[in-house]
Amino acid sequence: MEAGRQHNGVTKVNTIESQKQINNNVDESSGVTGSHTLIAVKSSSDNHLDPDVSQAASMMSTPVHRPGEPDGDDSSSMNLEEETPIDDSEFNIPPLDFEPTLESILNDLDVDSLSEEDALAGPTQEFSDIAIQQLGGIPESSDTVSIVSKGSSDNRSRSSSRSCRPKSTITNTKKPNSILRHVVLKAITSQINSATEKINAGTATAMCLGSFVAIGTSHGFVIVFDVLQAVKWCLGDTEHRESGGSVSSLTINSNGNRLLVGYAKGLILMYDLTNGKLIRNIPDAHAAATAVLTLRFTDLPDLALCGDSGGSVFELNFKRTIGLRSCVSRCIFSGSRGEVCSFEPLLLSTVSDNPLSKFVLVAFATLSKIIVVMIRPKLKVLFTHTLICDLTTLPLVCWQMVIIQTTLNEKIVDPVLSFARHNTIAFYQTTLDSKSSVQFLPLRSVTVGYSLLNMHWLNARTLALVDVKETLRILDVRSQEELERVDLSATRLVYSSSHYKGLATGGNVSKAFALAGERACYNSVLCHNNQIIVLGTRSVHALTMRLWHERLDYLVRQHHYVDAIQLGYELYVEKAKAVLGLKGSKDSKRLIVRDKLLYILDRYVDRIPLLNFMDDLSTARQRYHDVISTCVNYYALLDHQDPIFEKIYDFCADNPFSKSAYLESLEPFLLNDQLSHMPPIIVKDFVTHYDEIENYRALEACIVHFNIASLDIHQTMKLCWTQGLYDAIIYIFNQGMGDYLTPLEELMTELISAISAEVRLTDSQVVLGNKILVYISCCLAGRAYPFGNIAKNLVEKVQTDIFQIITALHSRNSTENEQSYPYLRTFLHFDTREFLNVMSLSFEEPIFQSELGKRQKQRIVDILLQVMVEQGNFTTTQVGILFTFIAQQMAKSDSSLFVSKLLFEQVLEHLTSGNETCRIDERQEALMELLQAGGFQHFEHDKILQKCLKAKFYRVCELLYERKNEYPQIIECYLLDEARKHQVFSFLHKIFCLIPQKKEIFQSKVMDHLEELIEIDNKKCAQVVYLHLGNLIPDLVKSLDSKSNSQYSFLQGVFYTREQNQNNIQVDVSTTENYITLMCHFNPQLVYPFLKTIESYRNEKMLQVCGKHKLVDAMVYLLEKDDRLNDAFQLMMDQFQCKLKLIFEDIEKLAMESSSFQTVLSSITWNQLQAIFLVMIQFSQRNSPKLPPDEKEKLWLPLLQLLIAAHNKFQSREDISTSFNEMNKHLLGSMMGHVSLPTIVEVYLNNPSYQTATFGEIRELITGMLETCTYEEIMVDLVKKITQSDVHDKMKVKLNSVRKGISARNYNCLECQSNIVDFSDDEAELVVFQCGHSYHLKCCHRKGIKSCPQCSPLSVIPCVTSVKELDISYRAPREHKSSL
């Protein structure tokens, strides 16, 4: 190997010949491209290597000898030391099943670094395919294979002895992540870790993707890998590493030949990736002492962008003049306007036909806004959007070419700007308007339930989101559905927080920028061509979107067959999400997916026999059902039914559990007509099985869906008659034999027997009768039973035959005792209404519209009258239903029916007779239906009204009165009808509004029935009166003078209505006083609350009324209202003394009985005493502020003296004395501030019991007074300080205003229009108002101007008496003429 030589701090890494041979052998055997891991360092000049780089080269060039491979030639292996073989027995090494290859060792799974689903999946995959497409925005149609899977699939590497083997089960319980394949890029990871350990390269800090993968380290190294994970270059010499610090940002241009490296200390370097040379050193492209946070190339080859930790963005213009390379930078966004955290240029090099490709657009993400700026052809701000969210999160921004459907159903491909912060993501379409101006159109906004850390587009419909818990989430943009999530916490994600805090440059960043950058990972999670690359501190990970068929294969390998089948069907119906690699026309895609899905279904069916070996029978039965149902469902959906009846049936036929599950799984598909042509043997097994499990209802539902040719008629009919499966019987007769009459006759025989027994029908008999009614309804309407249609050539015959059966005089097997028309009679007895409804519907059919059909209708009506009216044995309700049916038919315009009027008279007499009083509602309802169906023309109005009044058919009477517009009589109908009397108020509202011309008639009716209306509902009655007869309230009240109870109820309703309508009802004083008087008699406890809510009464009169009824609380309120406070207090005092006297008597009585005094303290009298006590305190507190001191004492001291006396009287009884002492304390606390302390002390000291008391006995009193005094002093000081502070602030403002200079805005006096400075008058004085307008002082005196007339022309201007009254006045000196 040649010695390494240094050139510009760049080391070129190549493979040695022997390694090439080994890799070629591996490639030929596996059919894929291997990773070059045996590498040597070969310099490009004769200079000596940099020591660190030389160490890296020697570390990377250590060869690995593959067992079983011949050594290379001497020239290529001269530096290799001879290795001594290891003795397996010495080290207890177990033998291997096969000899591992180099590739199998390198690609062996590192389970600890993978997610669970990939650990189960098998070997990992190598890094590849970066060079398939250059980085940039591409439309969805340009989906490519993963950059880690070029030329490979999931089974690319050979499995080692440590590979996990799948379990032999039908399915797993946990659904795996099928969208993303998570692998560790082992070659890159191992090289980074080796460099860290051997040359002290430091940990990884930043990464970029392009034609190469470049990873920067904390010690300034940049290691470049090619698409095969082989080290291409190791960049960075000692000088640049020391001056630059750690690598903070990297970017590769679209051509893949230039690499920009940004450092934490601000240095920027450019390398040529074709030869690894340093071609530009840019130390001063941005603000000094700031870190390079973001570097991005644009579509222009000579333009890049740089963002620093100061929040500024600079454009870097690369030039080459006479072979000399240079860089000119320009600040295009200053951090002083808002610190830019990140930015992304819109890259359109791959879609050059897009009209936006002539512009260079960049989206800046600041801490508070998203700003889109046009850099070329000119600098211009195009779009801004404010961000309002969590300050601890960074803004995110990215572009993507998306297919957008317009309102005209056209599809266009436009770039979409997506930006996010915290938990909100916004999408804006970027397009050109008709004037070729760039427009940003809002598409949608999405809110997620987590804080975002990173965001990238995987394709035009799918976003990859990383949250603050380091969970990667795949989001479908259109449906906002989270498709998959992967935990990235094990990757130990690299954060750039030190760069955002500016630690390498002295920490000269804002606090907000440092706080938001705590979790910055812009350069650690990158996306390219449906693949996400994650940079960890010790490893590099790739998460690649699987192709659609790879997702299916992966789920199958994991034994998630149901998920695979479901996904396949979603692909088939084009409802799947995150689809990759499925191209072609709609039909071709469906065909491809269908074939794949059928293959998976076949494999799933092949695994059914595995269930035969399960120990748990219940689990096996359920698993059989789940598996078979799934297979049958999707075979039916794909219209591929042969495996259902062949392969699956063969698997299940021999096992009773599987056969049971198979047959039962067919049921839902039979009911949906998805399995219409079943083999007869399976149909027979199906019927037999359902007979064995006695599931006859389900069997009946399925039989009517079978092809009649598949049924065993004998077996099925025998079972149906035995179990009463009437639907199946009818179906087999109709479809199998073309016989529509026999099933009706056979079933009618059973129904006739049930009806003739004259007992209550069973549920099964009721079901039979209803089925027969539905059957004849279908037949007469030309429809098959239970679904479908009768053949057109049979419709008329079936209708005629069914009609003849219904009207048959006798049945086929009639007896001598059989009544005429047995079928018709049976239907009428079973359900008269429903049968007549069936006939009514059938009369609309074309067969009954001909002359023959009309005669048939007349015939059946005659038969009905004969059977139900002439021969009797039917209830009144049934007869009424019949005549209602007849009246409806006769009311039709084309009716030709004739019925004798005498029959209607008989029906009326029958319905209104009083023989069936208990069924009055049914008879009235029958008559109502008859009249409403057109029966009025068959009766005389007066006669029917008279009969209805006698029969108490008030609803019919209302109908009759309404036809004659006799609305007042309807009021009486409501009042007489007990069931509807409460509806009279709604009717009154209605007629008052709709018929105002008859208001007087309705008014008289209301007055006549006022008492009845009040008794029904006094509040609704008052509401009607208020809304429609408000002026008659006094008259109505007066009319009830003799009925005090009704009068009180009516007034109660009036005042309730008044309260609900916010006192809009005007009630006179006499009415109010009358109501209060009645309330004192009927509801005295409501008087006091009512007095507080109303004012329309005379206090003196109400005082007399309340005094008459001894309502103390009401009297106190009225006296207080008249300011007769002493009288009011005396009333309460008397009441208090009365209650106190009762307490004393109870205590003495208990003392004589030696009982506990607790009964007194819990008695009603004691509670009443407490209530009066509190009311007295509130009364005194409420009125004390407006009384002089001596009057205040009259409100407080008598109560205090009374309590002191009560306390002293029962000092020996602890419970009683304690209670009175608590009352004393409460009273003293309430008195403070109203009665002086010396007065209170004097009251206590003048009491005989306290004159000889010790300090301990009055200590609580004195202490309480001192606390109150201290509290009042503190409050006074606080108020004083607040007042002084307010005065000081106002004076300060006033002084500042006075000291402020004011200049004159005009040169001439606005009053006299002469110069404001009169040079002929040395004593001339001016007035300048604060608004700037100026006047002569003498003009102000003459006109009485006090405020500026220009600014307040409408204000009253008082006369000015002195200069001090004006805003500002001064004497203008003569020398200021020029300035004025």
Side-chain angles (χ1 to χ4, degrees), residues 738-757:
D739 188 350
Y740 290 84
L741 298 182
T742 302
L744 178 58
E745 292 176 339
E746 296 290 343
L747 297 179
M748 282 301 297
T749 301
E750 293 192 15
L751 185 60
I752 291 172
S753 300
I755 297 293
S756 60

PDB file of all heavy atoms in Angstrom, residues 738-757:
ATOM      1  N   GLY A 738     -93.737 -22.521  -8.422  1.00  0.00           N
ATOM      2  CA  GLY A 738     -94.563 -21.538  -9.110  1.00  0.00           C
ATOM      3  C   GLY A 738     -95.984 -21.499  -8.572  1.00  0.00           C
ATOM      4  O   GLY A 738     -96.909 -21.100  -9.284  1.00  0.00           O
ATOM      5  N   ASP A 739     -96.191 -21.900  -7.343  1.00  0.00           N
ATOM      6  CA  ASP A 739     -97.517 -22.010  -6.735  1.00  0.00           C
ATOM      7  C   ASP A 739     -97.669 -20.901  -5.692  1.00  0.00           C
ATOM      8  O   ASP A 739     -96.939 -20.870  -4.694  1.00  0.00           O
ATOM      9  CB  ASP A 739     -97.677 -23.378  -6.084  1.00  0.00           C
ATOM     10  CG  ASP A 739     -99.106 -23.612  -5.602  1.00  0.00           C
ATOM     11  OD1 ASP A 739     -99.898 -22.650  -5.615  1.00  0.00           O
ATOM     12  OD2 ASP A 739     -99.408 -24.754  -5.197  1.00  0.00           O
ATOM     13  N   TYR A 740     -98.607 -19.982  -5.927  1.00  0.00           N
ATOM     14  CA  TYR A 740     -98.836 -18.877  -4.998  1.00  0.00           C
ATOM     15  C   TYR A 740    -100.092 -19.073  -4.146  1.00  0.00           C
ATOM     16  O   TYR A 740    -100.315 -18.330  -3.195  1.00  0.00           O
ATOM     17  CB  TYR A 740     -98.957 -17.551  -5.771  1.00  0.00           C
ATOM     18  CG  TYR A 740     -97.651 -17.099  -6.381  1.00  0.00           C
ATOM     19  CD1 TYR A 740     -97.240 -17.587  -7.621  1.00  0.00           C
ATOM     20  CD2 TYR A 740     -96.831 -16.208  -5.723  1.00  0.00           C
ATOM     21  CE1 TYR A 740     -96.047 -17.192  -8.192  1.00  0.00           C
ATOM     22  CE2 TYR A 740     -95.625 -15.800  -6.270  1.00  0.00           C
ATOM     23  CZ  TYR A 740     -95.247 -16.282  -7.505  1.00  0.00           C
ATOM     24  OH  TYR A 740     -94.053 -15.882  -8.046  1.00  0.00           O
ATOM     25  N   LEU A 741    -100.934 -20.053  -4.504  1.00  0.00           N
ATOM     26  CA  LEU A 741    -102.199 -20.244  -3.786  1.00  0.00           C
ATOM     27  C   LEU A 741    -102.072 -21.254  -2.655  1.00  0.00           C
ATOM     28  O   LEU A 741    -102.608 -21.049  -1.566  1.00  0.00           O
ATOM     29  CB  LEU A 741    -103.285 -20.706  -4.768  1.00  0.00           C
ATOM     30  CG  LEU A 741    -103.633 -19.727  -5.889  1.00  0.00           C
ATOM     31  CD1 LEU A 741    -104.759 -20.305  -6.740  1.00  0.00           C
ATOM     32  CD2 LEU A 741    -104.042 -18.389  -5.325  1.00  0.00           C
ATOM     33  N   THR A 742    -101.382 -22.360  -2.909  1.00  0.00           N
ATOM     34  CA  THR A 742    -101.293 -23.421  -1.904  1.00  0.00           C
ATOM     35  C   THR A 742    -100.724 -22.946  -0.582  1.00  0.00           C
ATOM     36  O   THR A 742    -101.284 -23.242   0.483  1.00  0.00           O
ATOM     37  CB  THR A 742    -100.473 -24.592  -2.454  1.00  0.00           C
ATOM     38  OG1 THR A 742    -101.078 -25.074  -3.650  1.00  0.00           O
ATOM     39  CG2 THR A 742    -100.390 -25.721  -1.430  1.00  0.00           C
ATOM     40  N   PRO A 743     -99.611 -22.187  -0.560  1.00  0.00           N
ATOM     41  CA  PRO A 743     -99.105 -21.745   0.744  1.00  0.00           C
ATOM     42  C   PRO A 743    -100.102 -20.870   1.489  1.00  0.00           C
ATOM     43  O   PRO A 743    -100.225 -20.960   2.711  1.00  0.00           O
ATOM     44  CB  PRO A 743     -97.827 -20.985   0.390  1.00  0.00           C
ATOM     45  CG  PRO A 743     -97.945 -20.634  -1.040  1.00  0.00           C
ATOM     46  CD  PRO A 743     -98.732 -21.739  -1.664  1.00  0.00           C
ATOM     47  N   LEU A 744    -100.859 -20.036   0.735  1.00  0.00           N
ATOM     48  CA  LEU A 744    -101.843 -19.187   1.395  1.00  0.00           C
ATOM     49  C   LEU A 744    -102.951 -20.035   2.006  1.00  0.00           C
ATOM     50  O   LEU A 744    -103.369 -19.837   3.154  1.00  0.00           O
ATOM     51  CB  LEU A 744    -102.410 -18.182   0.393  1.00  0.00           C
ATOM     52  CG  LEU A 744    -103.505 -17.252   0.927  1.00  0.00           C
ATOM     53  CD1 LEU A 744    -103.004 -16.439   2.117  1.00  0.00           C
ATOM     54  CD2 LEU A 744    -103.994 -16.313  -0.178  1.00  0.00           C
ATOM     55  N   GLU A 745    -103.442 -21.025   1.256  1.00  0.00           N
ATOM     56  CA  GLU A 745    -104.516 -21.876   1.778  1.00  0.00           C
ATOM     57  C   GLU A 745    -104.041 -22.693   2.981  1.00  0.00           C
ATOM     58  O   GLU A 745    -104.766 -22.830   3.985  1.00  0.00           O
ATOM     59  CB  GLU A 745    -105.015 -22.807   0.676  1.00  0.00           C
ATOM     60  CG  GLU A 745    -105.743 -22.067  -0.447  1.00  0.00           C
ATOM     61  CD  GLU A 745    -106.152 -22.995  -1.577  1.00  0.00           C
ATOM     62  OE1 GLU A 745    -105.561 -24.082  -1.691  1.00  0.00           O
ATOM     63  OE2 GLU A 745    -107.070 -22.626  -2.325  1.00  0.00           O
ATOM     64  N   GLU A 746    -102.820 -23.238   2.874  1.00  0.00           N
ATOM     65  CA  GLU A 746    -102.311 -24.059   3.971  1.00  0.00           C
ATOM     66  C   GLU A 746    -102.111 -23.215   5.243  1.00  0.00           C
ATOM     67  O   GLU A 746    -102.467 -23.644   6.349  1.00  0.00           O
ATOM     68  CB  GLU A 746    -100.985 -24.705   3.563  1.00  0.00           C
ATOM     69  CG  GLU A 746    -101.087 -25.676   2.400  1.00  0.00           C
ATOM     70  CD  GLU A 746    -101.816 -26.948   2.802  1.00  0.00           C
ATOM     71  OE1 GLU A 746    -101.945 -27.211   4.015  1.00  0.00           O
ATOM     72  OE2 GLU A 746    -102.265 -27.692   1.906  1.00  0.00           O
ATOM     73  N   LEU A 747    -101.565 -22.057   5.071  1.00  0.00           N
ATOM     74  CA  LEU A 747    -101.309 -21.205   6.246  1.00  0.00           C
ATOM     75  C   LEU A 747    -102.604 -20.631   6.803  1.00  0.00           C
ATOM     76  O   LEU A 747    -102.746 -20.463   8.024  1.00  0.00           O
ATOM     77  CB  LEU A 747    -100.340 -20.078   5.875  1.00  0.00           C
ATOM     78  CG  LEU A 747     -98.938 -20.518   5.427  1.00  0.00           C
ATOM     79  CD1 LEU A 747     -98.090 -19.303   5.064  1.00  0.00           C
ATOM     80  CD2 LEU A 747     -98.241 -21.315   6.529  1.00  0.00           C
ATOM     81  N   MET A 748    -103.552 -20.341   5.924  1.00  0.00           N
ATOM     82  CA  MET A 748    -104.836 -19.827   6.399  1.00  0.00           C
ATOM     83  C   MET A 748    -105.581 -20.873   7.218  1.00  0.00           C
ATOM     84  O   MET A 748    -106.323 -20.543   8.148  1.00  0.00           O
ATOM     85  CB  MET A 748    -105.697 -19.374   5.219  1.00  0.00           C
ATOM     86  CG  MET A 748    -105.305 -18.025   4.646  1.00  0.00           C
ATOM     87  SD  MET A 748    -105.398 -16.681   5.845  1.00  0.00           S
ATOM     88  CE  MET A 748    -107.141 -16.681   6.228  1.00  0.00           C
ATOM     89  N   THR A 749    -105.374 -22.119   6.896  1.00  0.00           N
ATOM     90  CA  THR A 749    -106.020 -23.184   7.672  1.00  0.00           C
ATOM     91  C   THR A 749    -105.568 -23.122   9.130  1.00  0.00           C
ATOM     92  O   THR A 749    -106.374 -23.242  10.065  1.00  0.00           O
ATOM     93  CB  THR A 749    -105.692 -24.559   7.071  1.00  0.00           C
ATOM     94  OG1 THR A 749    -106.134 -24.610   5.721  1.00  0.00           O
ATOM     95  CG2 THR A 749    -106.353 -25.687   7.861  1.00  0.00           C
ATOM     96  N   GLU A 750    -104.259 -22.921   9.352  1.00  0.00           N
ATOM     97  CA  GLU A 750    -103.755 -22.805  10.717  1.00  0.00           C
ATOM     98  C   GLU A 750    -104.285 -21.555  11.405  1.00  0.00           C
ATOM     99  O   GLU A 750    -104.649 -21.587  12.583  1.00  0.00           O
ATOM    100  CB  GLU A 750    -102.230 -22.791  10.697  1.00  0.00           C
ATOM    101  CG  GLU A 750    -101.595 -24.094  10.262  1.00  0.00           C
ATOM    102  CD  GLU A 750    -100.100 -24.129  10.524  1.00  0.00           C
ATOM    103  OE1 GLU A 750     -99.635 -23.250  11.298  1.00  0.00           O
ATOM    104  OE2 GLU A 750     -99.415 -25.004   9.979  1.00  0.00           O
ATOM    105  N   LEU A 751    -104.349 -20.436  10.668  1.00  0.00           N
ATOM    106  CA  LEU A 751    -104.823 -19.187  11.278  1.00  0.00           C
ATOM    107  C   LEU A 751    -106.312 -19.279  11.613  1.00  0.00           C
ATOM    108  O   LEU A 751    -106.749 -18.783  12.668  1.00  0.00           O
ATOM    109  CB  LEU A 751    -104.546 -18.017  10.328  1.00  0.00           C
ATOM    110  CG  LEU A 751    -104.882 -16.620  10.874  1.00  0.00           C
ATOM    111  CD1 LEU A 751    -104.076 -16.318  12.136  1.00  0.00           C
ATOM    112  CD2 LEU A 751    -104.616 -15.550   9.823  1.00  0.00           C
ATOM    113  N   ILE A 752    -107.095 -19.927  10.744  1.00  0.00           N
ATOM    114  CA  ILE A 752    -108.530 -20.084  11.023  1.00  0.00           C
ATOM    115  C   ILE A 752    -108.737 -20.903  12.295  1.00  0.00           C
ATOM    116  O   ILE A 752    -109.584 -20.591  13.136  1.00  0.00           O
ATOM    117  CB  ILE A 752    -109.235 -20.731   9.815  1.00  0.00           C
ATOM    118  CG1 ILE A 752    -109.262 -19.751   8.637  1.00  0.00           C
ATOM    119  CG2 ILE A 752    -110.650 -21.167  10.169  1.00  0.00           C
ATOM    120  CD1 ILE A 752    -109.761 -20.364   7.340  1.00  0.00           C
ATOM    121  N   SER A 753    -107.957 -21.946  12.451  1.00  0.00           N
ATOM    122  CA  SER A 753    -108.068 -22.772  13.654  1.00  0.00           C
ATOM    123  C   SER A 753    -107.739 -21.959  14.897  1.00  0.00           C
ATOM    124  O   SER A 753    -108.399 -22.089  15.941  1.00  0.00           O
ATOM    125  CB  SER A 753    -107.127 -23.974  13.549  1.00  0.00           C
ATOM    126  OG  SER A 753    -107.450 -24.759  12.426  1.00  0.00           O
ATOM    127  N   ALA A 754    -106.715 -21.100  14.816  1.00  0.00           N
ATOM    128  CA  ALA A 754    -106.324 -20.292  15.969  1.00  0.00           C
ATOM    129  C   ALA A 754    -107.396 -19.268  16.311  1.00  0.00           C
ATOM    130  O   ALA A 754    -107.721 -19.036  17.482  1.00  0.00           O
ATOM    131  CB  ALA A 754    -104.993 -19.600  15.689  1.00  0.00           C
ATOM    132  N   ILE A 755    -107.998 -18.629  15.275  1.00  0.00           N
ATOM    133  CA  ILE A 755    -109.029 -17.620  15.518  1.00  0.00           C
ATOM    134  C   ILE A 755    -110.299 -18.256  16.062  1.00  0.00           C
ATOM    135  O   ILE A 755    -110.947 -17.736  16.985  1.00  0.00           O
ATOM    136  CB  ILE A 755    -109.325 -16.841  14.221  1.00  0.00           C
ATOM    137  CG1 ILE A 755    -108.077 -16.071  13.755  1.00  0.00           C
ATOM    138  CG2 ILE A 755    -110.488 -15.882  14.420  1.00  0.00           C
ATOM    139  CD1 ILE A 755    -107.653 -14.952  14.660  1.00  0.00           C
ATOM    140  N   SER A 756    -110.682 -19.406  15.535  1.00  0.00           N
ATOM    141  CA  SER A 756    -111.938 -20.046  15.939  1.00  0.00           C
ATOM    142  C   SER A 756    -111.880 -20.552  17.371  1.00  0.00           C
ATOM    143  O   SER A 756    -112.921 -20.822  17.986  1.00  0.00           O
ATOM    144  CB  SER A 756    -112.263 -21.196  14.987  1.00  0.00           C
ATOM    145  OG  SER A 756    -111.226 -22.172  15.012  1.00  0.00           O
ATOM    146  N   ALA A 757    -110.686 -20.723  17.940  1.00  0.00           N
ATOM    147  CA  ALA A 757    -110.564 -21.188  19.325  1.00  0.00           C
ATOM    148  C   ALA A 757    -111.017 -20.134  20.315  1.00  0.00           C
ATOM    149  O   ALA A 757    -111.268 -20.446  21.488  1.00  0.00           O
ATOM    150  CB  ALA A 757    -109.124 -21.594  19.608  1.00  0.00           C
TER     151      ALA A 757
END
